[in-house]
Amino acid sequence: MTPSPLRVLIVADDPACAGALADALCGEFVPEVARAGTEPEFLAHLAAPPDVVLCPYAHPQLPAFRALDLIRDRGAAVPLVVVSDPVGECAAADVVLHGAADFVPRARIDRLAAAVRRALDRRPPPPAPAGPPPEMGRDLQQIFDAVPALIFYKDLEHRFVRVNEEVVRFLGLPREAILGRTDYDLGLPLAAQYARDEDAVAATGRPRQGIVELVTTPAGKRWLQTDKLPHRDAAGRVIGVIGFATDVTERKEAEEAARQAQERLQHVIASSPAVLYKLAIEGERIRGIAWVSENVREVLGYSPGETAGKGWLEATVHPDDADRAVAAAERGLIARGRYSTEFRIRHRSGEYRSVRSDVRLVLDATGESVEAIGSWSDVTEWRRVEDQYRQAQKMEAFGQLAAGVAHDFNNLLTIINGYCDLLLDELQDADPRRASAGEIREAGGRAAALTAQLLAFSRKTILEPKVIDLNDLVRRTGKMLERTLGEDVALRLALAPGLDRVKADRGQLEQVVVNLAVNARDAMPTGGRLTIETRNVEVAPGDRRFPDLRPGPYAQLSVGDTGVGMTDEVRAKIFEPFFTTKGVGKGTGLGLATVYGIVAQARGRIDVATAVGAGTTFSVLFPAAAHEDAAAPAATPAPVARGTETLLLVEDEPAVRRFARRSLEALGYAVLEAGNGAEALRAADAHAGPIHLLVTDVVMPEMGGRDLAEAVRGRRPEARVLFVSGYTDDAVVRNGVVQATDAFLQKPFSPVALARKVRATLDAAR
């Protein structure tokens, strides 16, 4: 076929663009090209009308709609083919309804010649000046019916003039039942809304786009997104409304699912105790923090905006942890795709918090790193609990060692101090040997006190718990402290009225106050102020300050000084036995260890707040006791009473046994002695008279004190029992002495202490 000559007017600014379109027509036509870039140029070329106009959809000076209006206004029967980049089905259909002969995507320019041929074959007659759009050709109607969207045209009375097949299917009505009727006639629920929208389009001449509505159809409820545009006649008057609607139900459902998922995610993020964050990744480098969850305010005290970028983390991480938190994290993340570590980060308050960081790399479809998602969990309290647990284990090990040493030492001290007391009783005041014996006894007393500290530290002491007014105890102890602290230390008492009573061993509480006060005095070498304060404290369930305490009321004792304070290194060791910062010979290192043991045995808690140059405050919590009358301080002991009863003395240490027998016989008692349980039972069987009291060691080979006591009571029901031991640990518990209500005498003991305990036990039987 010989190519036909073709006069073509191309709307284009770029000659190269016009040339490309002309080339696409070659083969089918011999194009004679004219180019127009403005409206005046276009009108000038319409004076001698071309065979066809090629126009883009959205030319800056002359868009397709304007070109169609100009052609119609001039009465030129020139077909216009739109050649454009993709603009969407709605826009393409709209321009065709407006009068364009065809729409050819620029990407399918190979179809241009065929589209121009069809346009020439269907060249319309000049348009009428008014009235509805001309009837569509069969091909165009088929195209409209094939579009998977609802396309309709209504007049200004809201009557359907044209609809495509998709409208027919959507409404479930035949085309004849739709045309000429309004939405009211068809009983559509949103008819009033549709009419208002169309009236607004007709009145303003401006389209309404993106109208999303939920409509009811024979197939159920569906979401439609509708664009409504004005349709104008040749004079530019609006004569109807063109509608283009697409079913967006699946999109709306997906959007709702995404919204709900996003809402759930926000709930998860908001309720998570961990701080979630996202890192920006470029290649193999971390470029900084791109996003942080809102709870970073609660955990670290910073706003999310303050954490943006890489510099914030580097500036707030502890200097000793910087490599682990930043550089090593980058290397580990890039190399392995995930990285976990722990480091300290500075809270806005200035305090360092321990956080565990877990981060994982996110890859795109090509395997390239795009970002990293991670979390920071505050593990500060966990680490404190772990440290406390390790400290408790260490103290327990030291305690077991101390208890064992104290037992053997107590036996020796019983002998040394006991015979020394007997010797002092026999020596006259003028005897020159009395001074030497007195020095020995004083040294033995100090050794006994040291042993008592070891037992208190190891929490192996048999207690005599009583309800105590802590304020009264502090006042009484304070009077003694005023004489020992020195003139350069001012003592201040701040005792809370109505303080809860505590149930504890009075002697041990006094030791806690004295040890803490002496420790405070030593921390103020040039003098200062020592404050002892009490107050009530309520520990709530889940209280993070006191994770190891049972909820309930507590009485708090605080001892604070204005001394030199402590470094973190010293603070970490203060409760360890034998640790001291004092010079050689100036401290045993058991003072605070003893306090720790006493407080732990009382099921309390001790904390310390200190800073170098700012002093130190020890705070001790004791569980509040039930409401009972506080026990009065012990009265001055009465003189030692004598007796004539028969005692069965059982002790596996011969020297201790001899000392005890001598002490008791000196007071008038009749003493039967045995070195073990079997000997004791034989002695009990051989004795014809009554046995008033069994005095027995608790821990002995073959038969312990408890078993022996039961055996003796079986033979001698009238016999009372007094347990004696240098052990006060689990060995005592296993052998039956579990409370101070059992008659018990702790080694080392003096002749006077033994005599008083024996007399008290015998008298209790009456």
Side-chain angles (χ1 to χ4, degrees), residues 290-323:
W291 171 85
V292 175
S293 59
E294 186 67 27
N295 63 340
V296 70
R297 298 178 187 271
E298 300 175 14
V299 178
L300 296 174
Y302 300 95
S303 69
E306 290 176 295
T307 65
K310 191 174 182 179
W312 174 82
L313 182 60
E314 294 173 336
T316 54
V317 73
H318 194 284
D320 295 343
D321 302 341
D323 180 73

PDB file of all heavy atoms in Angstrom, residues 290-323:
ATOM      1  N   ALA A 290      18.406   6.511  63.432  1.00  0.00           N
ATOM      2  CA  ALA A 290      17.390   7.108  62.574  1.00  0.00           C
ATOM      3  C   ALA A 290      16.055   7.283  63.287  1.00  0.00           C
ATOM      4  O   ALA A 290      15.272   8.164  62.937  1.00  0.00           O
ATOM      5  CB  ALA A 290      17.193   6.249  61.323  1.00  0.00           C
ATOM      6  N   TRP A 291      15.797   6.427  64.288  1.00  0.00           N
ATOM      7  CA  TRP A 291      14.521   6.499  64.998  1.00  0.00           C
ATOM      8  C   TRP A 291      14.665   5.821  66.349  1.00  0.00           C
ATOM      9  O   TRP A 291      15.403   4.840  66.491  1.00  0.00           O
ATOM     10  CB  TRP A 291      13.428   5.812  64.177  1.00  0.00           C
ATOM     11  CG  TRP A 291      12.128   5.643  64.921  1.00  0.00           C
ATOM     12  CD1 TRP A 291      11.122   6.547  65.043  1.00  0.00           C
ATOM     13  CD2 TRP A 291      11.706   4.483  65.670  1.00  0.00           C
ATOM     14  NE1 TRP A 291      10.097   6.040  65.814  1.00  0.00           N
ATOM     15  CE2 TRP A 291      10.424   4.762  66.207  1.00  0.00           C
ATOM     16  CE3 TRP A 291      12.291   3.248  65.932  1.00  0.00           C
ATOM     17  CZ2 TRP A 291       9.730   3.859  66.988  1.00  0.00           C
ATOM     18  CZ3 TRP A 291      11.590   2.340  66.714  1.00  0.00           C
ATOM     19  CH2 TRP A 291      10.325   2.637  67.231  1.00  0.00           C
ATOM     20  N   VAL A 292      13.981   6.365  67.366  1.00  0.00           N
ATOM     21  CA  VAL A 292      13.984   5.782  68.709  1.00  0.00           C
ATOM     22  C   VAL A 292      12.565   5.842  69.249  1.00  0.00           C
ATOM     23  O   VAL A 292      11.840   6.822  69.017  1.00  0.00           O
ATOM     24  CB  VAL A 292      14.937   6.551  69.654  1.00  0.00           C
ATOM     25  CG1 VAL A 292      14.826   6.011  71.079  1.00  0.00           C
ATOM     26  CG2 VAL A 292      16.370   6.421  69.198  1.00  0.00           C
ATOM     27  N   SER A 293      12.140   4.801  69.948  1.00  0.00           N
ATOM     28  CA  SER A 293      10.793   4.776  70.513  1.00  0.00           C
ATOM     29  C   SER A 293      10.647   5.823  71.608  1.00  0.00           C
ATOM     30  O   SER A 293      11.622   6.242  72.245  1.00  0.00           O
ATOM     31  CB  SER A 293      10.459   3.383  71.051  1.00  0.00           C
ATOM     32  OG  SER A 293      11.381   2.992  72.045  1.00  0.00           O
ATOM     33  N   GLU A 294       9.403   6.208  71.843  1.00  0.00           N
ATOM     34  CA  GLU A 294       9.098   7.309  72.750  1.00  0.00           C
ATOM     35  C   GLU A 294       9.539   7.024  74.188  1.00  0.00           C
ATOM     36  O   GLU A 294       9.862   7.941  74.944  1.00  0.00           O
ATOM     37  CB  GLU A 294       7.588   7.599  72.708  1.00  0.00           C
ATOM     38  CG  GLU A 294       7.152   8.812  73.487  1.00  0.00           C
ATOM     39  CD  GLU A 294       7.671  10.117  72.884  1.00  0.00           C
ATOM     40  OE1 GLU A 294       7.915  10.148  71.656  1.00  0.00           O
ATOM     41  OE2 GLU A 294       7.828  11.088  73.645  1.00  0.00           O
ATOM     42  N   ASN A 295       9.559   5.734  74.592  1.00  0.00           N
ATOM     43  CA  ASN A 295       9.878   5.432  75.994  1.00  0.00           C
ATOM     44  C   ASN A 295      11.347   5.645  76.336  1.00  0.00           C
ATOM     45  O   ASN A 295      11.762   5.374  77.461  1.00  0.00           O
ATOM     46  CB  ASN A 295       9.466   4.001  76.345  1.00  0.00           C
ATOM     47  CG  ASN A 295      10.222   2.959  75.528  1.00  0.00           C
ATOM     48  OD1 ASN A 295      10.775   3.257  74.471  1.00  0.00           O
ATOM     49  ND2 ASN A 295      10.250   1.740  76.016  1.00  0.00           N
ATOM     50  N   VAL A 296      12.144   6.140  75.390  1.00  0.00           N
ATOM     51  CA  VAL A 296      13.520   6.512  75.730  1.00  0.00           C
ATOM     52  C   VAL A 296      13.513   7.643  76.772  1.00  0.00           C
ATOM     53  O   VAL A 296      14.461   7.791  77.544  1.00  0.00           O
ATOM     54  CB  VAL A 296      14.293   6.937  74.461  1.00  0.00           C
ATOM     55  CG1 VAL A 296      13.796   8.278  73.924  1.00  0.00           C
ATOM     56  CG2 VAL A 296      15.791   7.016  74.742  1.00  0.00           C
ATOM     57  N   ARG A 297      12.413   8.408  76.816  1.00  0.00           N
ATOM     58  CA  ARG A 297      12.304   9.455  77.834  1.00  0.00           C
ATOM     59  C   ARG A 297      12.298   8.842  79.226  1.00  0.00           C
ATOM     60  O   ARG A 297      12.948   9.341  80.145  1.00  0.00           O
ATOM     61  CB  ARG A 297      11.017  10.256  77.633  1.00  0.00           C
ATOM     62  CG  ARG A 297      10.897  11.004  76.317  1.00  0.00           C
ATOM     63  CD  ARG A 297       9.558  11.718  76.241  1.00  0.00           C
ATOM     64  NE  ARG A 297       9.323  12.316  74.936  1.00  0.00           N
ATOM     65  CZ  ARG A 297       9.693  13.545  74.597  1.00  0.00           C
ATOM     66  NH1 ARG A 297      10.308  14.288  75.484  1.00  0.00           N
ATOM     67  NH2 ARG A 297       9.440  14.026  73.383  1.00  0.00           N
ATOM     68  N   GLU A 298      11.521   7.754  79.406  1.00  0.00           N
ATOM     69  CA  GLU A 298      11.396   7.136  80.722  1.00  0.00           C
ATOM     70  C   GLU A 298      12.665   6.390  81.107  1.00  0.00           C
ATOM     71  O   GLU A 298      13.074   6.406  82.273  1.00  0.00           O
ATOM     72  CB  GLU A 298      10.211   6.174  80.726  1.00  0.00           C
ATOM     73  CG  GLU A 298       8.881   6.824  80.406  1.00  0.00           C
ATOM     74  CD  GLU A 298       7.770   5.811  80.298  1.00  0.00           C
ATOM     75  OE1 GLU A 298       7.977   4.664  80.726  1.00  0.00           O
ATOM     76  OE2 GLU A 298       6.689   6.151  79.782  1.00  0.00           O
ATOM     77  N   VAL A 299      13.282   5.714  80.146  1.00  0.00           N
ATOM     78  CA  VAL A 299      14.419   4.854  80.462  1.00  0.00           C
ATOM     79  C   VAL A 299      15.701   5.658  80.631  1.00  0.00           C
ATOM     80  O   VAL A 299      16.466   5.430  81.585  1.00  0.00           O
ATOM     81  CB  VAL A 299      14.591   3.782  79.361  1.00  0.00           C
ATOM     82  CG1 VAL A 299      15.809   2.912  79.643  1.00  0.00           C
ATOM     83  CG2 VAL A 299      13.343   2.918  79.273  1.00  0.00           C
ATOM     84  N   LEU A 300      15.953   6.628  79.748  1.00  0.00           N
ATOM     85  CA  LEU A 300      17.222   7.346  79.766  1.00  0.00           C
ATOM     86  C   LEU A 300      17.071   8.855  79.963  1.00  0.00           C
ATOM     87  O   LEU A 300      18.083   9.548  80.125  1.00  0.00           O
ATOM     88  CB  LEU A 300      17.995   7.071  78.466  1.00  0.00           C
ATOM     89  CG  LEU A 300      18.430   5.620  78.252  1.00  0.00           C
ATOM     90  CD1 LEU A 300      19.058   5.444  76.874  1.00  0.00           C
ATOM     91  CD2 LEU A 300      19.396   5.177  79.332  1.00  0.00           C
ATOM     92  N   GLY A 301      15.835   9.355  79.915  1.00  0.00           N
ATOM     93  CA  GLY A 301      15.632  10.769  80.196  1.00  0.00           C
ATOM     94  C   GLY A 301      15.781  11.692  79.001  1.00  0.00           C
ATOM     95  O   GLY A 301      15.705  12.909  79.163  1.00  0.00           O
ATOM     96  N   TYR A 302      15.998  11.158  77.791  1.00  0.00           N
ATOM     97  CA  TYR A 302      16.173  11.985  76.601  1.00  0.00           C
ATOM     98  C   TYR A 302      14.934  11.893  75.712  1.00  0.00           C
ATOM     99  O   TYR A 302      14.220  10.887  75.713  1.00  0.00           O
ATOM    100  CB  TYR A 302      17.396  11.534  75.793  1.00  0.00           C
ATOM    101  CG  TYR A 302      18.702  11.614  76.546  1.00  0.00           C
ATOM    102  CD1 TYR A 302      19.208  10.497  77.207  1.00  0.00           C
ATOM    103  CD2 TYR A 302      19.428  12.799  76.604  1.00  0.00           C
ATOM    104  CE1 TYR A 302      20.404  10.551  77.904  1.00  0.00           C
ATOM    105  CE2 TYR A 302      20.625  12.868  77.305  1.00  0.00           C
ATOM    106  CZ  TYR A 302      21.103  11.742  77.947  1.00  0.00           C
ATOM    107  OH  TYR A 302      22.292  11.801  78.640  1.00  0.00           O
ATOM    108  N   SER A 303      14.684  12.937  74.931  1.00  0.00           N
ATOM    109  CA  SER A 303      13.613  12.888  73.942  1.00  0.00           C
ATOM    110  C   SER A 303      14.122  12.149  72.705  1.00  0.00           C
ATOM    111  O   SER A 303      15.336  12.105  72.459  1.00  0.00           O
ATOM    112  CB  SER A 303      13.184  14.301  73.556  1.00  0.00           C
ATOM    113  OG  SER A 303      14.225  14.950  72.823  1.00  0.00           O
ATOM    114  N   PRO A 304      13.217  11.550  71.904  1.00  0.00           N
ATOM    115  CA  PRO A 304      13.666  10.862  70.690  1.00  0.00           C
ATOM    116  C   PRO A 304      14.466  11.770  69.767  1.00  0.00           C
ATOM    117  O   PRO A 304      15.431  11.327  69.137  1.00  0.00           O
ATOM    118  CB  PRO A 304      12.351  10.403  70.051  1.00  0.00           C
ATOM    119  CG  PRO A 304      11.405  10.253  71.203  1.00  0.00           C
ATOM    120  CD  PRO A 304      11.772  11.349  72.150  1.00  0.00           C
ATOM    121  N   GLY A 305      14.090  13.052  69.682  1.00  0.00           N
ATOM    122  CA  GLY A 305      14.818  13.964  68.796  1.00  0.00           C
ATOM    123  C   GLY A 305      16.258  14.173  69.221  1.00  0.00           C
ATOM    124  O   GLY A 305      17.146  14.357  68.373  1.00  0.00           O
ATOM    125  N   GLU A 306      16.521  14.126  70.524  1.00  0.00           N
ATOM    126  CA  GLU A 306      17.885  14.337  71.018  1.00  0.00           C
ATOM    127  C   GLU A 306      18.807  13.182  70.664  1.00  0.00           C
ATOM    128  O   GLU A 306      20.032  13.350  70.627  1.00  0.00           O
ATOM    129  CB  GLU A 306      17.868  14.524  72.529  1.00  0.00           C
ATOM    130  CG  GLU A 306      17.241  15.826  72.987  1.00  0.00           C
ATOM    131  CD  GLU A 306      17.169  15.913  74.502  1.00  0.00           C
ATOM    132  OE1 GLU A 306      16.444  15.109  75.112  1.00  0.00           O
ATOM    133  OE2 GLU A 306      17.859  16.779  75.077  1.00  0.00           O
ATOM    134  N   THR A 307      18.248  12.013  70.418  1.00  0.00           N
ATOM    135  CA  THR A 307      19.083  10.838  70.160  1.00  0.00           C
ATOM    136  C   THR A 307      19.444  10.672  68.688  1.00  0.00           C
ATOM    137  O   THR A 307      20.196   9.758  68.351  1.00  0.00           O
ATOM    138  CB  THR A 307      18.360   9.566  70.629  1.00  0.00           C
ATOM    139  OG1 THR A 307      17.175   9.372  69.833  1.00  0.00           O
ATOM    140  CG2 THR A 307      17.965   9.681  72.089  1.00  0.00           C
ATOM    141  N   ALA A 308      18.885  11.511  67.814  1.00  0.00           N
ATOM    142  CA  ALA A 308      19.112  11.354  66.379  1.00  0.00           C
ATOM    143  C   ALA A 308      20.589  11.572  66.043  1.00  0.00           C
ATOM    144  O   ALA A 308      21.251  12.435  66.615  1.00  0.00           O
ATOM    145  CB  ALA A 308      18.239  12.331  65.595  1.00  0.00           C
ATOM    146  N   GLY A 309      21.067  10.783  65.124  1.00  0.00           N
ATOM    147  CA  GLY A 309      22.450  10.908  64.677  1.00  0.00           C
ATOM    148  C   GLY A 309      23.387   9.998  65.437  1.00  0.00           C
ATOM    149  O   GLY A 309      23.026   9.351  66.425  1.00  0.00           O
ATOM    150  N   LYS A 310      24.605   9.930  64.985  1.00  0.00           N
ATOM    151  CA  LYS A 310      25.592   9.035  65.585  1.00  0.00           C
ATOM    152  C   LYS A 310      26.286   9.656  66.782  1.00  0.00           C
ATOM    153  O   LYS A 310      26.723   8.969  67.690  1.00  0.00           O
ATOM    154  CB  LYS A 310      26.632   8.655  64.527  1.00  0.00           C
ATOM    155  CG  LYS A 310      27.566   7.522  64.943  1.00  0.00           C
ATOM    156  CD  LYS A 310      28.458   7.103  63.795  1.00  0.00           C
ATOM    157  CE  LYS A 310      29.356   5.931  64.179  1.00  0.00           C
ATOM    158  NZ  LYS A 310      30.217   5.502  63.061  1.00  0.00           N
ATOM    159  N   GLY A 311      26.368  10.950  66.824  1.00  0.00           N
ATOM    160  CA  GLY A 311      27.144  11.599  67.870  1.00  0.00           C
ATOM    161  C   GLY A 311      26.562  11.435  69.260  1.00  0.00           C
ATOM    162  O   GLY A 311      27.296  11.423  70.244  1.00  0.00           O
ATOM    163  N   TRP A 312      25.220  11.297  69.367  1.00  0.00           N
ATOM    164  CA  TRP A 312      24.614  11.213  70.695  1.00  0.00           C
ATOM    165  C   TRP A 312      25.094   9.980  71.450  1.00  0.00           C
ATOM    166  O   TRP A 312      25.461  10.069  72.616  1.00  0.00           O
ATOM    167  CB  TRP A 312      23.092  11.186  70.559  1.00  0.00           C
ATOM    168  CG  TRP A 312      22.409  10.951  71.871  1.00  0.00           C
ATOM    169  CD1 TRP A 312      22.140  11.873  72.834  1.00  0.00           C
ATOM    170  CD2 TRP A 312      21.945   9.707  72.377  1.00  0.00           C
ATOM    171  NE1 TRP A 312      21.517  11.282  73.910  1.00  0.00           N
ATOM    172  CE2 TRP A 312      21.393   9.946  73.660  1.00  0.00           C
ATOM    173  CE3 TRP A 312      21.931   8.398  71.885  1.00  0.00           C
ATOM    174  CZ2 TRP A 312      20.834   8.941  74.439  1.00  0.00           C
ATOM    175  CZ3 TRP A 312      21.385   7.387  72.652  1.00  0.00           C
ATOM    176  CH2 TRP A 312      20.847   7.669  73.920  1.00  0.00           C
ATOM    177  N   LEU A 313      25.081   8.832  70.807  1.00  0.00           N
ATOM    178  CA  LEU A 313      25.501   7.608  71.484  1.00  0.00           C
ATOM    179  C   LEU A 313      26.967   7.691  71.890  1.00  0.00           C
ATOM    180  O   LEU A 313      27.343   7.313  73.001  1.00  0.00           O
ATOM    181  CB  LEU A 313      25.262   6.399  70.575  1.00  0.00           C
ATOM    182  CG  LEU A 313      25.602   5.036  71.177  1.00  0.00           C
ATOM    183  CD1 LEU A 313      24.774   4.784  72.429  1.00  0.00           C
ATOM    184  CD2 LEU A 313      25.364   3.920  70.162  1.00  0.00           C
ATOM    185  N   GLU A 314      27.799   8.179  71.019  1.00  0.00           N
ATOM    186  CA  GLU A 314      29.222   8.297  71.338  1.00  0.00           C
ATOM    187  C   GLU A 314      29.455   9.247  72.505  1.00  0.00           C
ATOM    188  O   GLU A 314      30.387   9.061  73.296  1.00  0.00           O
ATOM    189  CB  GLU A 314      29.986   8.783  70.100  1.00  0.00           C
ATOM    190  CG  GLU A 314      29.978   7.775  68.952  1.00  0.00           C
ATOM    191  CD  GLU A 314      30.589   8.348  67.692  1.00  0.00           C
ATOM    192  OE1 GLU A 314      30.584   9.596  67.554  1.00  0.00           O
ATOM    193  OE2 GLU A 314      31.056   7.575  66.850  1.00  0.00           O
ATOM    194  N   ALA A 315      28.593  10.270  72.626  1.00  0.00           N
ATOM    195  CA  ALA A 315      28.780  11.258  73.687  1.00  0.00           C
ATOM    196  C   ALA A 315      28.251  10.783  75.027  1.00  0.00           C
ATOM    197  O   ALA A 315      28.710  11.253  76.074  1.00  0.00           O
ATOM    198  CB  ALA A 315      28.090  12.571  73.300  1.00  0.00           C
ATOM    199  N   THR A 316      27.291   9.852  75.034  1.00  0.00           N
ATOM    200  CA  THR A 316      26.656   9.445  76.297  1.00  0.00           C
ATOM    201  C   THR A 316      27.129   8.093  76.809  1.00  0.00           C
ATOM    202  O   THR A 316      26.928   7.796  77.988  1.00  0.00           O
ATOM    203  CB  THR A 316      25.126   9.405  76.135  1.00  0.00           C
ATOM    204  OG1 THR A 316      24.805   8.573  75.002  1.00  0.00           O
ATOM    205  CG2 THR A 316      24.564  10.792  75.912  1.00  0.00           C
ATOM    206  N   VAL A 317      27.749   7.281  75.974  1.00  0.00           N
ATOM    207  CA  VAL A 317      28.214   5.977  76.448  1.00  0.00           C
ATOM    208  C   VAL A 317      29.422   6.169  77.360  1.00  0.00           C
ATOM    209  O   VAL A 317      30.196   7.123  77.213  1.00  0.00           O
ATOM    210  CB  VAL A 317      28.552   5.065  75.249  1.00  0.00           C
ATOM    211  CG1 VAL A 317      29.847   5.503  74.574  1.00  0.00           C
ATOM    212  CG2 VAL A 317      28.667   3.616  75.686  1.00  0.00           C
ATOM    213  N   HIS A 318      29.584   5.283  78.323  1.00  0.00           N
ATOM    214  CA  HIS A 318      30.716   5.367  79.252  1.00  0.00           C
ATOM    215  C   HIS A 318      32.019   5.238  78.466  1.00  0.00           C
ATOM    216  O   HIS A 318      32.131   4.387  77.570  1.00  0.00           O
ATOM    217  CB  HIS A 318      30.614   4.245  80.286  1.00  0.00           C
ATOM    218  CG  HIS A 318      31.527   4.425  81.460  1.00  0.00           C
ATOM    219  ND1 HIS A 318      32.882   4.193  81.391  1.00  0.00           N
ATOM    220  CD2 HIS A 318      31.283   4.817  82.740  1.00  0.00           C
ATOM    221  CE1 HIS A 318      33.433   4.420  82.569  1.00  0.00           C
ATOM    222  NE2 HIS A 318      32.485   4.809  83.405  1.00  0.00           N
ATOM    223  N   PRO A 319      33.018   6.069  78.763  1.00  0.00           N
ATOM    224  CA  PRO A 319      34.268   6.011  77.979  1.00  0.00           C
ATOM    225  C   PRO A 319      34.892   4.620  77.928  1.00  0.00           C
ATOM    226  O   PRO A 319      35.447   4.229  76.899  1.00  0.00           O
ATOM    227  CB  PRO A 319      35.184   7.012  78.711  1.00  0.00           C
ATOM    228  CG  PRO A 319      34.248   7.960  79.388  1.00  0.00           C
ATOM    229  CD  PRO A 319      33.045   7.155  79.773  1.00  0.00           C
ATOM    230  N   ASP A 320      34.794   3.860  79.011  1.00  0.00           N
ATOM    231  CA  ASP A 320      35.391   2.527  79.026  1.00  0.00           C
ATOM    232  C   ASP A 320      34.627   1.550  78.144  1.00  0.00           C
ATOM    233  O   ASP A 320      35.153   0.487  77.798  1.00  0.00           O
ATOM    234  CB  ASP A 320      35.433   1.973  80.456  1.00  0.00           C
ATOM    235  CG  ASP A 320      36.363   2.789  81.353  1.00  0.00           C
ATOM    236  OD1 ASP A 320      37.189   3.552  80.794  1.00  0.00           O
ATOM    237  OD2 ASP A 320      36.256   2.668  82.578  1.00  0.00           O
ATOM    238  N   ASP A 321      33.385   1.888  77.780  1.00  0.00           N
ATOM    239  CA  ASP A 321      32.562   0.977  76.981  1.00  0.00           C
ATOM    240  C   ASP A 321      32.388   1.457  75.544  1.00  0.00           C
ATOM    241  O   ASP A 321      31.623   0.861  74.780  1.00  0.00           O
ATOM    242  CB  ASP A 321      31.165   0.841  77.616  1.00  0.00           C
ATOM    243  CG  ASP A 321      31.234   0.329  79.042  1.00  0.00           C
ATOM    244  OD1 ASP A 321      32.275  -0.237  79.404  1.00  0.00           O
ATOM    245  OD2 ASP A 321      30.244   0.485  79.785  1.00  0.00           O
ATOM    246  N   ALA A 322      33.074   2.530  75.165  1.00  0.00           N
ATOM    247  CA  ALA A 322      32.827   3.156  73.865  1.00  0.00           C
ATOM    248  C   ALA A 322      33.091   2.205  72.703  1.00  0.00           C
ATOM    249  O   ALA A 322      32.297   2.115  71.764  1.00  0.00           O
ATOM    250  CB  ALA A 322      33.683   4.417  73.730  1.00  0.00           C
ATOM    251  N   ASP A 323      34.197   1.471  72.751  1.00  0.00           N
ATOM    252  CA  ASP A 323      34.503   0.569  71.638  1.00  0.00           C
ATOM    253  C   ASP A 323      33.456  -0.522  71.522  1.00  0.00           C
ATOM    254  O   ASP A 323      32.986  -0.836  70.419  1.00  0.00           O
ATOM    255  CB  ASP A 323      35.889  -0.061  71.837  1.00  0.00           C
ATOM    256  CG  ASP A 323      36.249  -0.997  70.693  1.00  0.00           C
ATOM    257  OD1 ASP A 323      36.540  -0.497  69.586  1.00  0.00           O
ATOM    258  OD2 ASP A 323      36.222  -2.237  70.897  1.00  0.00           O
TER     259      ASP A 323
END
